[in-house]
């Protein structure tokens, strides 16, 4: 399935993007976009079959399918998938603030546009057949397909689209921020919806609106089987109505969900759907932890398993089915995004407001020894908030990046201009001692001293840190880090809580330190506000878990959002990355540039895989009866 900016936001703890306002921009040709907009009306604008952030579109209007699919892929079979955790909700609208959403729930819906997996930032029509917008991006109109239908046979209407936008904005802070700058949605034709924005020049807004998941207004405003009026503002385990290629067939609360393919799906012949959604049934089995899930996989109770543990990948897959090639281990390159994963100190806490304290915590982290002991040397240290992409800052700033940084020179650390960022390197006793000495020096400069083996401030208060985690894998990482913090005098502890308590404490920013991660698309933009801006630092449930309030960061986010071309976007993002790094907001951890999967060898996919599609599971795969016969029946 396509990875969108919204998907990356949803993989975190809470809310999505908060688009920024900015001044009007000049067009590449030097013509004022505002002036151009005044001369343009909807009747003069072309209808577009696809939208791209900077205009590069691979597939023409009459394209038949994406290049990375097999149009002859057989339909049929069952795929049994693993989900970690539990669920008590099918209502997507409140997923960020209430209950635990079943991941399968999102698969029954569709969006106005859908992403191509072999392009950086291009969307093609799904529920909408075309879109139009002026040169200044101040509004967009989407025209729905006349054949688009809900599973009950009723058409998808502009009223559904408007209802969906209003619902998401009203019910979830996540979506309220994501669609913040959509000021109005109105029906302007039998199948046309116009979205107006609160300022020109934000080229992402038309495509962000294209990611809108459309909900059935008539269903949510109706009554259930017991005659009770439905409420889109609460969690529900009533099977909802969708329009997508799958519907929920049955479920066991908290344990399993079965999806069945809609045999007469209205969009099966769309170019964006040819060769996809090939399984007759998708079964999601929920497990409380990865160890139990792996044992179920070994017993052939599941067909696929994603492995996030380097130790497990190296040591736990030595059972007979692997040796017999009935189970295949495969790594898929992650080309569609970058990420920052880190220990996060809560900058809202007074003891962490000084950057020297935060930097000292980085000097106390011996990644190299952790990588050796816990991860079999498989990981590399993260050195960028956009790790794994061309957007990562390297060396010293130059060219357009330097020009951008000059605009905030008085608000950023001087090292931004003089010194390439680099994490401390450990791994040997000499290096560790040197790093700890540097940490102690920084803490002393920040006003702390060691008394009776404890680090105290000028008032005698001990520097105490509780590392809050929610699962065993995070716990062992935190426990490895804890002794290093204690060596510099920090009173450190690790507390593991259940998922519900963890989410509640995260949403209210009730923590000293957590492990967090932020996914980054190849075209960052409005979501950067949600991640790092002053406006979101105190918004409950926001993704700015760090609590950053920095005018330089705010200004650089504006530069990212209002970049006029790809080169400008890369330069602005690198500038933002560099400033975030030199403020030492986090202790960067580690990453791996592949996703690891093991599977029972019953399935096939087209070659080559989509560049930005990762594993392509389950959308691009199909059940291979010949392979299945070779390895034997399922348990």
């Amino acid at each position: 399935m396509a990875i969108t900016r919204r998907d990356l936001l949803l993989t975190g703890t809470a809310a999505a993007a908060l688009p920024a306002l900015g001044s009007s921009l000049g067009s590449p040709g030097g013509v004022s976009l505002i002036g151009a907009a005044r001369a343009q009306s909807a009747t003069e604008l072309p209808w577009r079959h696809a939208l791209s952030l900077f205009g590069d579109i691979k597939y023409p209007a009459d394209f038949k399918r994406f290049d990375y699919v097999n149009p002859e892929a057989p339909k049929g079979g069952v795929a049994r998938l693993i989900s970690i955790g539990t669920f008590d909700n099918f209502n997507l609208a409140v997923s960020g603030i209430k209950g635990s959403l079943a991941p399968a729930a999102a698969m029954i819906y569709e969006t106005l546009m859908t992403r191509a997996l072999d392009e950086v930032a291009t969307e093609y029509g799904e529920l909408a057949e075309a879109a139009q917008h002026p040169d200044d991006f101040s509004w967009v109109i989407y025209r729905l397909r006349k054949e688009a239908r809900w599973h009950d046979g009723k058409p998808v209407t502009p009223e559904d689209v408007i209802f969906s936008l209003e619902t998401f904005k009203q019910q979830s802070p996540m979506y309220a921020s994501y669609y913040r700058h959509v000021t109005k949605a109105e029906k302007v034709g039998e199948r046309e919806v116009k979205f107006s924005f609160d300022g020109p020049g934000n080229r992402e807004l038309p495509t962000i609106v294209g990611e809108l998941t459309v909900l059935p207004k008539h269903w949510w405003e109706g009554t259930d089987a017991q005659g009770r009026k439905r409420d889109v503002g609460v969690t529900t385990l009533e099977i909802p109505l969708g329009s997508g290629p799958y519907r929920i067939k049955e479920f066991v609360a908290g344990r399993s969900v079965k999806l069945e393919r809609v045999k007469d799906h209205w969009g099966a012949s769309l170019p964006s759907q040819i060769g996809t959604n090939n399984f007759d049934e998708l079964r999601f089995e929920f497990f409380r932890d990865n160890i139990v899930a792996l044992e179920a996989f070994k017993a052939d109770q599941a067909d696929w398993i994603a492995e996030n543990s380097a130790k497990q990948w190296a040591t736990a897959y030595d059972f007979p089915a692997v040796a017999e090639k009935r189970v295949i281990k495969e790594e898929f390159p992650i080309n569609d995004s970058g990420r920052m994963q880190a220990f996060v100190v809560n900058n809202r806490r007074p003891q962490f407001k000084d950057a020297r304290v935060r930097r000292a915590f980085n000097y106390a982290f011996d990644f190299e020894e952790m990588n050796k002991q816990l991860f079999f040397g498989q990981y590399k240290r993260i050195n960028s908030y956009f790790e794994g992409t061309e957007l990562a800052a390297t060396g010293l700033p130059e060219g357009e990046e330097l020009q951008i940084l000059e605009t905030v020179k008085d608000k950023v650390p001087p090292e931004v201009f003089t010194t390439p960022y680099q994490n401390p390197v450990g791994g040997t006793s000499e290096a560790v001692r040197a790093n700890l000495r540097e940490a102690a020096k920084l803490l002393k400069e920040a006003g702390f001293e060691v008394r009776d083996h404890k680090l105290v401030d000028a008032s005698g208060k001990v520097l105490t840190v509780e590392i809050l985690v929610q699962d065993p894998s995070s716990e062992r990482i935190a426990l490895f880090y804890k002794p290093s913090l204690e060596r510099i005098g920090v009173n450190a502890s690790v507390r593991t809580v259940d998922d519900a308590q963890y989410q509640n404490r995260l949403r209210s920013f009730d923590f000293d330190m957590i492990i967090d991660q932020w996914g980054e698309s190849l075209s960052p933009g409005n979501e950067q506000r949600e991640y790092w801006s002053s406006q979101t630092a105190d918004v409950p449930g926001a993704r700015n878990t760090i609590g950053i309030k920095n005018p330089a960061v705010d200004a650089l986010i504006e530069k990212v959002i209002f970049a006029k071309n790809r080169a400008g976007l890369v330069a602005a993002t690198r500038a933002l990355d560099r400033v975030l790094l030199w403020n030492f907001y986090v202790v960067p951890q580690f990453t791996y540039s592949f996703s690891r999967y093991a599977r029972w060898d019953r399935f096939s996919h087209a070659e080559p895989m989509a560049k930005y599609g990762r594993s392509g599971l389950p959308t691009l795969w199909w059940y291979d009866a010949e392979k299945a016969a070779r390895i034997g029946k399922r348990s």
Side-chain angles (χ1 to χ4, degrees), residues 361 453-455 462-467 478-479 481-495 512-513:
F361 275 44
H453 306 291
K454 294 294 183 181
L455 194 66
V462 176
L463 180 55
T464 301
V465 175
E466 177 188 83
I467 308 176
L479 288 172
Y481 186 34
K482 176 177 178 287
S484 297
L485 292 175
E486 291 173 336
R487 289 182 68 181
I488 59 174
V490 176
N491 182 16
S493 62
V494 177
R495 184 177 182 187
D512 294 331
M513 179 183 287

PDB file of all heavy atoms in Angstrom, residues 361 453-455 462-467 478-479 481-495 512-513:
ATOM      1  N   PHE A 361      23.469  13.969  27.747  1.00  0.00           N
ATOM      2  CA  PHE A 361      22.783  12.678  27.666  1.00  0.00           C
ATOM      3  C   PHE A 361      23.216  11.909  26.416  1.00  0.00           C
ATOM      4  O   PHE A 361      23.263  10.675  26.425  1.00  0.00           O
ATOM      5  CB  PHE A 361      21.264  12.897  27.666  1.00  0.00           C
ATOM      6  CG  PHE A 361      20.673  13.030  29.044  1.00  0.00           C
ATOM      7  CD1 PHE A 361      21.277  13.814  30.005  1.00  0.00           C
ATOM      8  CD2 PHE A 361      19.508  12.360  29.380  1.00  0.00           C
ATOM      9  CE1 PHE A 361      20.742  13.936  31.281  1.00  0.00           C
ATOM     10  CE2 PHE A 361      18.964  12.467  30.653  1.00  0.00           C
ATOM     11  CZ  PHE A 361      19.577  13.257  31.610  1.00  0.00           C
ATOM     12  N   HIS A 453      27.680  10.947  44.816  1.00  0.00           N
ATOM     13  CA  HIS A 453      27.435  10.146  43.619  1.00  0.00           C
ATOM     14  C   HIS A 453      26.116  10.484  42.919  1.00  0.00           C
ATOM     15  O   HIS A 453      25.636   9.708  42.082  1.00  0.00           O
ATOM     16  CB  HIS A 453      27.459   8.639  43.942  1.00  0.00           C
ATOM     17  CG  HIS A 453      28.706   8.200  44.623  1.00  0.00           C
ATOM     18  ND1 HIS A 453      29.938   8.160  43.998  1.00  0.00           N
ATOM     19  CD2 HIS A 453      28.926   7.811  45.917  1.00  0.00           C
ATOM     20  CE1 HIS A 453      30.857   7.748  44.847  1.00  0.00           C
ATOM     21  NE2 HIS A 453      30.277   7.523  46.025  1.00  0.00           N
ATOM     22  N   LYS A 454      25.532  11.626  43.263  1.00  0.00           N
ATOM     23  CA  LYS A 454      24.291  12.051  42.621  1.00  0.00           C
ATOM     24  C   LYS A 454      24.482  13.434  42.000  1.00  0.00           C
ATOM     25  O   LYS A 454      25.144  14.290  42.585  1.00  0.00           O
ATOM     26  CB  LYS A 454      23.131  12.092  43.617  1.00  0.00           C
ATOM     27  CG  LYS A 454      22.722  10.723  44.164  1.00  0.00           C
ATOM     28  CD  LYS A 454      22.150   9.826  43.077  1.00  0.00           C
ATOM     29  CE  LYS A 454      21.683   8.497  43.630  1.00  0.00           C
ATOM     30  NZ  LYS A 454      21.151   7.600  42.571  1.00  0.00           N
ATOM     31  N   LEU A 455      23.889  13.623  40.852  1.00  0.00           N
ATOM     32  CA  LEU A 455      23.972  14.900  40.156  1.00  0.00           C
ATOM     33  C   LEU A 455      22.881  15.826  40.678  1.00  0.00           C
ATOM     34  O   LEU A 455      21.695  15.499  40.617  1.00  0.00           O
ATOM     35  CB  LEU A 455      23.794  14.676  38.650  1.00  0.00           C
ATOM     36  CG  LEU A 455      24.171  15.827  37.717  1.00  0.00           C
ATOM     37  CD1 LEU A 455      25.670  16.098  37.754  1.00  0.00           C
ATOM     38  CD2 LEU A 455      23.732  15.500  36.288  1.00  0.00           C
ATOM     39  N   VAL A 462      18.229  16.543  43.063  1.00  0.00           N
ATOM     40  CA  VAL A 462      18.846  15.501  42.249  1.00  0.00           C
ATOM     41  C   VAL A 462      18.204  15.479  40.858  1.00  0.00           C
ATOM     42  O   VAL A 462      16.982  15.589  40.711  1.00  0.00           O
ATOM     43  CB  VAL A 462      18.688  14.126  42.924  1.00  0.00           C
ATOM     44  CG1 VAL A 462      19.248  13.016  42.034  1.00  0.00           C
ATOM     45  CG2 VAL A 462      19.388  14.114  44.274  1.00  0.00           C
ATOM     46  N   LEU A 463      19.041  15.342  39.808  1.00  0.00           N
ATOM     47  CA  LEU A 463      18.544  15.203  38.446  1.00  0.00           C
ATOM     48  C   LEU A 463      18.018  13.785  38.259  1.00  0.00           C
ATOM     49  O   LEU A 463      18.795  12.824  38.216  1.00  0.00           O
ATOM     50  CB  LEU A 463      19.640  15.505  37.431  1.00  0.00           C
ATOM     51  CG  LEU A 463      19.253  15.399  35.950  1.00  0.00           C
ATOM     52  CD1 LEU A 463      18.054  16.283  35.632  1.00  0.00           C
ATOM     53  CD2 LEU A 463      20.431  15.762  35.055  1.00  0.00           C
ATOM     54  N   THR A 464      16.713  13.662  38.208  1.00  0.00           N
ATOM     55  CA  THR A 464      16.043  12.367  38.123  1.00  0.00           C
ATOM     56  C   THR A 464      15.357  12.204  36.780  1.00  0.00           C
ATOM     57  O   THR A 464      14.717  13.131  36.287  1.00  0.00           O
ATOM     58  CB  THR A 464      14.999  12.233  39.248  1.00  0.00           C
ATOM     59  OG1 THR A 464      15.663  12.355  40.509  1.00  0.00           O
ATOM     60  CG2 THR A 464      14.279  10.899  39.171  1.00  0.00           C
ATOM     61  N   VAL A 465      15.492  11.014  36.194  1.00  0.00           N
ATOM     62  CA  VAL A 465      14.891  10.730  34.896  1.00  0.00           C
ATOM     63  C   VAL A 465      14.223   9.364  34.936  1.00  0.00           C
ATOM     64  O   VAL A 465      14.859   8.358  35.274  1.00  0.00           O
ATOM     65  CB  VAL A 465      15.940  10.743  33.764  1.00  0.00           C
ATOM     66  CG1 VAL A 465      15.302  10.314  32.452  1.00  0.00           C
ATOM     67  CG2 VAL A 465      16.556  12.113  33.616  1.00  0.00           C
ATOM     68  N   GLU A 466      12.939   9.333  34.604  1.00  0.00           N
ATOM     69  CA  GLU A 466      12.229   8.071  34.423  1.00  0.00           C
ATOM     70  C   GLU A 466      12.049   7.842  32.927  1.00  0.00           C
ATOM     71  O   GLU A 466      11.461   8.667  32.229  1.00  0.00           O
ATOM     72  CB  GLU A 466      10.859   8.108  35.103  1.00  0.00           C
ATOM     73  CG  GLU A 466      10.047   6.829  34.888  1.00  0.00           C
ATOM     74  CD  GLU A 466       8.626   6.953  35.400  1.00  0.00           C
ATOM     75  OE1 GLU A 466       7.775   7.506  34.653  1.00  0.00           O
ATOM     76  OE2 GLU A 466       8.362   6.506  36.528  1.00  0.00           O
ATOM     77  N   ILE A 467      12.557   6.725  32.435  1.00  0.00           N
ATOM     78  CA  ILE A 467      12.384   6.365  31.029  1.00  0.00           C
ATOM     79  C   ILE A 467      11.119   5.525  30.923  1.00  0.00           C
ATOM     80  O   ILE A 467      11.050   4.414  31.450  1.00  0.00           O
ATOM     81  CB  ILE A 467      13.587   5.585  30.482  1.00  0.00           C
ATOM     82  CG1 ILE A 467      14.894   6.340  30.762  1.00  0.00           C
ATOM     83  CG2 ILE A 467      13.434   5.347  28.984  1.00  0.00           C
ATOM     84  CD1 ILE A 467      16.142   5.594  30.350  1.00  0.00           C
ATOM     85  N   ALA A 478      16.206   0.635  26.966  1.00  0.00           N
ATOM     86  CA  ALA A 478      16.265   1.605  28.061  1.00  0.00           C
ATOM     87  C   ALA A 478      17.139   1.095  29.203  1.00  0.00           C
ATOM     88  O   ALA A 478      17.909   1.858  29.813  1.00  0.00           O
ATOM     89  CB  ALA A 478      14.853   1.906  28.555  1.00  0.00           C
ATOM     90  N   LEU A 479      17.027  -0.186  29.514  1.00  0.00           N
ATOM     91  CA  LEU A 479      17.826  -0.754  30.602  1.00  0.00           C
ATOM     92  C   LEU A 479      19.321  -0.746  30.274  1.00  0.00           C
ATOM     93  O   LEU A 479      20.167  -0.634  31.175  1.00  0.00           O
ATOM     94  CB  LEU A 479      17.363  -2.175  30.905  1.00  0.00           C
ATOM     95  CG  LEU A 479      16.010  -2.293  31.615  1.00  0.00           C
ATOM     96  CD1 LEU A 479      15.560  -3.744  31.688  1.00  0.00           C
ATOM     97  CD2 LEU A 479      16.072  -1.673  33.016  1.00  0.00           C
ATOM     98  N   TYR A 481      20.763   1.624  28.524  1.00  0.00           N
ATOM     99  CA  TYR A 481      21.151   3.037  28.630  1.00  0.00           C
ATOM    100  C   TYR A 481      21.226   3.512  30.081  1.00  0.00           C
ATOM    101  O   TYR A 481      22.041   4.373  30.432  1.00  0.00           O
ATOM    102  CB  TYR A 481      20.141   3.863  27.839  1.00  0.00           C
ATOM    103  CG  TYR A 481      20.421   5.334  27.698  1.00  0.00           C
ATOM    104  CD1 TYR A 481      21.712   5.831  27.589  1.00  0.00           C
ATOM    105  CD2 TYR A 481      19.365   6.242  27.632  1.00  0.00           C
ATOM    106  CE1 TYR A 481      21.951   7.189  27.428  1.00  0.00           C
ATOM    107  CE2 TYR A 481      19.584   7.598  27.471  1.00  0.00           C
ATOM    108  CZ  TYR A 481      20.875   8.066  27.365  1.00  0.00           C
ATOM    109  OH  TYR A 481      21.098   9.407  27.209  1.00  0.00           O
ATOM    110  N   LYS A 482      20.399   2.940  30.934  1.00  0.00           N
ATOM    111  CA  LYS A 482      20.269   3.394  32.332  1.00  0.00           C
ATOM    112  C   LYS A 482      21.606   3.446  33.083  1.00  0.00           C
ATOM    113  O   LYS A 482      21.921   4.470  33.719  1.00  0.00           O
ATOM    114  CB  LYS A 482      19.272   2.480  33.054  1.00  0.00           C
ATOM    115  CG  LYS A 482      19.085   2.763  34.549  1.00  0.00           C
ATOM    116  CD  LYS A 482      18.020   1.821  35.115  1.00  0.00           C
ATOM    117  CE  LYS A 482      17.825   2.013  36.614  1.00  0.00           C
ATOM    118  NZ  LYS A 482      18.969   1.476  37.396  1.00  0.00           N
ATOM    119  N   PRO A 483      22.455   2.416  33.067  1.00  0.00           N
ATOM    120  CA  PRO A 483      23.716   2.484  33.819  1.00  0.00           C
ATOM    121  C   PRO A 483      24.630   3.616  33.345  1.00  0.00           C
ATOM    122  O   PRO A 483      25.377   4.187  34.148  1.00  0.00           O
ATOM    123  CB  PRO A 483      24.355   1.110  33.571  1.00  0.00           C
ATOM    124  CG  PRO A 483      23.222   0.220  33.207  1.00  0.00           C
ATOM    125  CD  PRO A 483      22.269   1.087  32.448  1.00  0.00           C
ATOM    126  N   SER A 484      24.582   3.935  32.060  1.00  0.00           N
ATOM    127  CA  SER A 484      25.414   5.020  31.539  1.00  0.00           C
ATOM    128  C   SER A 484      24.983   6.355  32.117  1.00  0.00           C
ATOM    129  O   SER A 484      25.819   7.206  32.441  1.00  0.00           O
ATOM    130  CB  SER A 484      25.339   5.053  30.012  1.00  0.00           C
ATOM    131  OG  SER A 484      25.852   3.867  29.448  1.00  0.00           O
ATOM    132  N   LEU A 485      23.677   6.560  32.230  1.00  0.00           N
ATOM    133  CA  LEU A 485      23.177   7.789  32.851  1.00  0.00           C
ATOM    134  C   LEU A 485      23.570   7.847  34.319  1.00  0.00           C
ATOM    135  O   LEU A 485      23.928   8.904  34.846  1.00  0.00           O
ATOM    136  CB  LEU A 485      21.657   7.867  32.703  1.00  0.00           C
ATOM    137  CG  LEU A 485      21.125   8.076  31.283  1.00  0.00           C
ATOM    138  CD1 LEU A 485      19.600   8.013  31.271  1.00  0.00           C
ATOM    139  CD2 LEU A 485      21.597   9.413  30.709  1.00  0.00           C
ATOM    140  N   GLU A 486      23.517   6.704  34.977  1.00  0.00           N
ATOM    141  CA  GLU A 486      23.891   6.663  36.400  1.00  0.00           C
ATOM    142  C   GLU A 486      25.370   6.982  36.598  1.00  0.00           C
ATOM    143  O   GLU A 486      25.756   7.562  37.617  1.00  0.00           O
ATOM    144  CB  GLU A 486      23.545   5.292  36.968  1.00  0.00           C
ATOM    145  CG  GLU A 486      22.035   5.047  37.057  1.00  0.00           C
ATOM    146  CD  GLU A 486      21.683   3.631  37.461  1.00  0.00           C
ATOM    147  OE1 GLU A 486      22.523   2.721  37.246  1.00  0.00           O
ATOM    148  OE2 GLU A 486      20.587   3.430  37.997  1.00  0.00           O
ATOM    149  N   ARG A 487      26.206   6.647  35.625  1.00  0.00           N
ATOM    150  CA  ARG A 487      27.642   6.910  35.739  1.00  0.00           C
ATOM    151  C   ARG A 487      27.943   8.405  35.726  1.00  0.00           C
ATOM    152  O   ARG A 487      28.984   8.826  36.215  1.00  0.00           O
ATOM    153  CB  ARG A 487      28.413   6.214  34.620  1.00  0.00           C
ATOM    154  CG  ARG A 487      28.470   4.697  34.783  1.00  0.00           C
ATOM    155  CD  ARG A 487      29.295   4.060  33.672  1.00  0.00           C
ATOM    156  NE  ARG A 487      30.727   4.423  33.784  1.00  0.00           N
ATOM    157  CZ  ARG A 487      31.649   4.018  32.921  1.00  0.00           C
ATOM    158  NH1 ARG A 487      31.288   3.242  31.886  1.00  0.00           N
ATOM    159  NH2 ARG A 487      32.910   4.369  33.080  1.00  0.00           N
ATOM    160  N   ILE A 488      27.045   9.224  35.168  1.00  0.00           N
ATOM    161  CA  ILE A 488      27.259  10.673  35.207  1.00  0.00           C
ATOM    162  C   ILE A 488      26.439  11.320  36.324  1.00  0.00           C
ATOM    163  O   ILE A 488      26.299  12.543  36.381  1.00  0.00           O
ATOM    164  CB  ILE A 488      26.941  11.338  33.846  1.00  0.00           C
ATOM    165  CG1 ILE A 488      25.494  11.081  33.418  1.00  0.00           C
ATOM    166  CG2 ILE A 488      27.918  10.869  32.782  1.00  0.00           C
ATOM    167  CD1 ILE A 488      25.087  11.836  32.148  1.00  0.00           C
ATOM    168  N   GLY A 489      25.859  10.480  37.216  1.00  0.00           N
ATOM    169  CA  GLY A 489      25.184  10.983  38.406  1.00  0.00           C
ATOM    170  C   GLY A 489      23.682  11.130  38.295  1.00  0.00           C
ATOM    171  O   GLY A 489      23.031  11.553  39.257  1.00  0.00           O
ATOM    172  N   VAL A 490      23.108  10.788  37.148  1.00  0.00           N
ATOM    173  CA  VAL A 490      21.667  10.909  36.968  1.00  0.00           C
ATOM    174  C   VAL A 490      20.963   9.775  37.710  1.00  0.00           C
ATOM    175  O   VAL A 490      21.367   8.602  37.610  1.00  0.00           O
ATOM    176  CB  VAL A 490      21.295  10.871  35.470  1.00  0.00           C
ATOM    177  CG1 VAL A 490      19.780  10.897  35.286  1.00  0.00           C
ATOM    178  CG2 VAL A 490      21.939  12.035  34.725  1.00  0.00           C
ATOM    179  N   ASN A 491      19.919  10.113  38.435  1.00  0.00           N
ATOM    180  CA  ASN A 491      19.088   9.109  39.102  1.00  0.00           C
ATOM    181  C   ASN A 491      18.084   8.580  38.080  1.00  0.00           C
ATOM    182  O   ASN A 491      17.016   9.144  37.892  1.00  0.00           O
ATOM    183  CB  ASN A 491      18.368   9.734  40.295  1.00  0.00           C
ATOM    184  CG  ASN A 491      17.532   8.720  41.063  1.00  0.00           C
ATOM    185  OD1 ASN A 491      17.706   7.518  40.901  1.00  0.00           O
ATOM    186  ND2 ASN A 491      16.615   9.217  41.873  1.00  0.00           N
ATOM    187  N   ALA A 492      18.443   7.500  37.386  1.00  0.00           N
ATOM    188  CA  ALA A 492      17.662   7.001  36.255  1.00  0.00           C
ATOM    189  C   ALA A 492      16.885   5.752  36.633  1.00  0.00           C
ATOM    190  O   ALA A 492      17.363   4.903  37.387  1.00  0.00           O
ATOM    191  CB  ALA A 492      18.573   6.701  35.068  1.00  0.00           C
ATOM    192  N   SER A 493      15.672   5.650  36.102  1.00  0.00           N
ATOM    193  CA  SER A 493      14.844   4.463  36.298  1.00  0.00           C
ATOM    194  C   SER A 493      14.107   4.168  35.000  1.00  0.00           C
ATOM    195  O   SER A 493      13.947   5.039  34.139  1.00  0.00           O
ATOM    196  CB  SER A 493      13.846   4.666  37.439  1.00  0.00           C
ATOM    197  OG  SER A 493      12.958   5.742  37.137  1.00  0.00           O
ATOM    198  N   VAL A 494      13.649   2.939  34.869  1.00  0.00           N
ATOM    199  CA  VAL A 494      12.882   2.513  33.693  1.00  0.00           C
ATOM    200  C   VAL A 494      11.539   2.000  34.171  1.00  0.00           C
ATOM    201  O   VAL A 494      11.469   1.166  35.080  1.00  0.00           O
ATOM    202  CB  VAL A 494      13.620   1.411  32.902  1.00  0.00           C
ATOM    203  CG1 VAL A 494      12.763   0.948  31.727  1.00  0.00           C
ATOM    204  CG2 VAL A 494      14.979   1.907  32.427  1.00  0.00           C
ATOM    205  N   ARG A 495      10.472   2.501  33.576  1.00  0.00           N
ATOM    206  CA  ARG A 495       9.133   2.069  33.959  1.00  0.00           C
ATOM    207  C   ARG A 495       8.382   1.571  32.735  1.00  0.00           C
ATOM    208  O   ARG A 495       8.232   2.304  31.751  1.00  0.00           O
ATOM    209  CB  ARG A 495       8.342   3.201  34.609  1.00  0.00           C
ATOM    210  CG  ARG A 495       6.974   2.743  35.116  1.00  0.00           C
ATOM    211  CD  ARG A 495       6.233   3.850  35.816  1.00  0.00           C
ATOM    212  NE  ARG A 495       4.954   3.384  36.324  1.00  0.00           N
ATOM    213  CZ  ARG A 495       4.030   4.166  36.871  1.00  0.00           C
ATOM    214  NH1 ARG A 495       4.258   5.473  36.986  1.00  0.00           N
ATOM    215  NH2 ARG A 495       2.900   3.681  37.307  1.00  0.00           N
ATOM    216  N   ASP A 512       9.274  11.946  31.577  1.00  0.00           N
ATOM    217  CA  ASP A 512      10.605  12.556  31.541  1.00  0.00           C
ATOM    218  C   ASP A 512      11.305  12.212  30.227  1.00  0.00           C
ATOM    219  O   ASP A 512      11.850  13.081  29.558  1.00  0.00           O
ATOM    220  CB  ASP A 512      11.473  12.056  32.700  1.00  0.00           C
ATOM    221  CG  ASP A 512      10.953  12.493  34.053  1.00  0.00           C
ATOM    222  OD1 ASP A 512      10.323  13.563  34.138  1.00  0.00           O
ATOM    223  OD2 ASP A 512      11.165  11.745  35.038  1.00  0.00           O
ATOM    224  N   MET A 513      11.291  10.917  29.918  1.00  0.00           N
ATOM    225  CA  MET A 513      11.975  10.452  28.715  1.00  0.00           C
ATOM    226  C   MET A 513      11.200   9.279  28.132  1.00  0.00           C
ATOM    227  O   MET A 513      10.674   8.440  28.865  1.00  0.00           O
ATOM    228  CB  MET A 513      13.420  10.027  29.029  1.00  0.00           C
ATOM    229  CG  MET A 513      14.195   9.510  27.827  1.00  0.00           C
ATOM    230  SD  MET A 513      15.863   8.942  28.249  1.00  0.00           S
ATOM    231  CE  MET A 513      16.690  10.497  28.540  1.00  0.00           C
TER     232      MET A 513
END
